[in-house]
Amino acid sequence: MSARPGALLRSTLRTRRREFVRLTGWSLVEAVPALLSGWLVARSVDDGFLAVRTAEGFGRLGLLACAVLVGAWGTRQATLQLAEAQGPFLPTRPATRSSSACLRKSGVAEPATSRVRHSGSRVAGSCEVPSAPS
């Protein structure tokens, strides 16, 4: 890693410490189903179904279902925290301006999705952008 990307990463970790700590916490919550799945399935089979205690077996599988729901919630929250933490790595405003200039140059007045999709061949010809599939 060269000095410049490393410096960017270090400064980002310093300035956005709260976001990265939250991301780490939600990632741990996200891992709950993976950590519990083998143990809960083994206990439900050994102590439940093989010991002819089906209620205990289904109870432990119910715990696994709850763990999966908690993991899904953790995945959602971790994704939101990742979006917060990646701010410095996103493209800057001039990229948006050049896209708008390209659309104006091609004759598209409003950069609405439907207009861009219908005029994809004009945009592709004038700005060297691949046209959207029809």
Side-chain angles (χ1 to χ4, degrees):
M1 186 181 256
S2 68
R4 212 175 142 119
L8 175 64
L9 182 61
R10 281 190 300 277
S11 70
T12 303
L13 286 173
R14 251 181 281 140
T15 59
R16 296 182 172 263
R17 185 178 306 259
R18 177 183 287 167
E19 287 87 354
F20 283 107
V21 168
R22 289 166 123 181
L23 176 62
T24 302
W26 285 116
S27 295
L28 291 174
V29 172
E30 182 180 21
V32 167
L35 295 173
L36 293 179
S37 63
W39 182 75
L40 284 173
V41 169
R43 293 297 92 202
S44 69
V45 170
D46 293 344
D47 297 340
F49 299 118
L50 291 177
V52 192
R53 288 181 275 190
T54 56
E56 185 176 338
F58 282 124
R60 294 195 185 203
L61 291 179
L63 285 174
L64 179 59
C66 291
V68 168
L69 291 175
V70 168
W73 181 54
T75 300
R76 179 188 183 277
Q77 296 297 332
T79 303
L80 293 174
Q81 286 303 313
L82 182 61
E84 289 290 323
Q86 71 168 347
F89 302 107
L90 294 176
T92 57
R93 186 109 172 119
T96 305
R97 287 186 186 146
S98 65
S99 300
S100 298
C102 176
L103 289 173
R104 279 193 304 274
K105 183 176 152 185
S106 66
V108 177
E110 301 172 16
T113 307
S114 61
R115 293 247 354 223
V116 172
R117 189 177 300 132
H118 289 28
S119 63
S121 60
R122 286 190 299 169
V123 172
S126 63
C127 298
E128 299 176 14
V129 176
S131 62
S134 299

